[in-house]
Amino acid sequence: ILRLWVASSDYRVDVRVSKEIFKQLSQMYLKIRNTARYILGNIADFDANNLVKPEEMMEIDRWAVTKLTALMNKVKEGYEAFEYHVVHHSIHNFCVVELSNFYLDVIKDRLYCEKKDGVERRSAQTAIYLILDSMVKMLAPILAFTSDEIWQAMPHKDSDDTMHVMLNQMNKPFEAYHLSDDEMAKWDELVALRTTANQGLEEARASKLIGKIFIVTGTGKYFKNVEYSPDFNAASCGAALELAKP
């Protein structure tokens, strides 16, 4: 936690320390650690030498890898500018916003229920493996011990140095898996709708207008330039909204 406190502090201004700050840092540390733990549990049987090809990967998984590249670029800029607080906050926000709040919630059915060696499950495993493999290397300069604990527990490619995470280079962007700007805009629209729907449902539950389970069926006509697909249906189900086929 002390290493995380140093990294999260902006040294260009007065550095503060208090029990409340360490409490917040502990919660942030647990979010990163628990995200890694969740991924580790779902890639225990994954062969890192046999990634799903970009053309076979499901679009929502390619969305996650594209978001990962944005994180990698921001972290790289942070390290090069010695702005370690940018590195720490960017990785934490990625764990909270892109992963916990959306992606990991959406893919859990595929990870738990699809055929063990089926392309649907392996597509999700490929994406979360790339995320964890990249994230643990980006965290290593800050959380050296935690990163190496994760490194020792995860599957590896033949080219990896398994002795210690610090003996490996940070990953470069996985450009072959990237979505186009138009495709990303489509998914951003869905994420925004899902967030709004979830907020509305929570308010309705708090007012006891609905129970824990509430399903709304729509036609997808509220989306711009969005057509029905299994990916969109799976993602929207997280917001208790089902897109019906035209």
Side-chain angles (χ1 to χ4, degrees), residues 70-139:
L71 171 67
M72 294 166 68
N73 291 335
K74 193 167 185 178
V75 167
K76 183 174 182 291
E77 292 173 359
Y79 274 127
E80 290 178 345
F82 303 103
E83 295 180 342
Y84 306 117
H85 61 287
V86 172
V87 174
H88 162 246
H89 288 295
S90 297
I91 294 175
H92 175 260
N93 289 342
F94 181 74
C95 289
V96 173
V97 178
E98 278 79 12
L99 296 184
S100 293
N101 289 356
F102 180 66
Y103 180 64
L104 295 181
D105 185 42
V106 168
I107 66 171
K108 63 179 181 291
D109 287 345
R110 261 196 294 149
L111 291 171
Y112 299 158
C113 303
E114 292 292 343
K115 187 177 178 181
K116 182 177 179 180
D117 58 349
V119 67
E120 293 87 357
R121 183 170 183 268
R122 289 183 56 248
S123 174
Q125 284 184 308
T126 296
I128 59 178
Y129 165 76
L130 294 176
I131 289 171
L132 185 62
D133 186 62
S134 301
M135 196 166 67
V136 72
K137 293 172 183 175
M138 291 187 287
L139 279 170

Side-chain angles (χ1 to χ4, degrees), residues 123-165:
S123 174
Q125 284 184 308
T126 296
I128 59 178
Y129 165 76
L130 294 176
I131 289 171
L132 185 62
D133 186 62
S134 301
M135 196 166 67
V136 72
K137 293 172 183 175
M138 291 187 287
L139 279 170
I142 297 174
L143 296 176
F145 297 106
T146 300
S147 296
D148 195 54
E149 288 177 351
I150 297 169
W151 183 255
Q152 299 303 325
M154 65 182 292
H156 296 291
K157 303 185 294 291
D158 292 339
S159 58
D160 289 339
D161 190 325
T162 59
M163 183 176 295
H164 199 286
V165 64

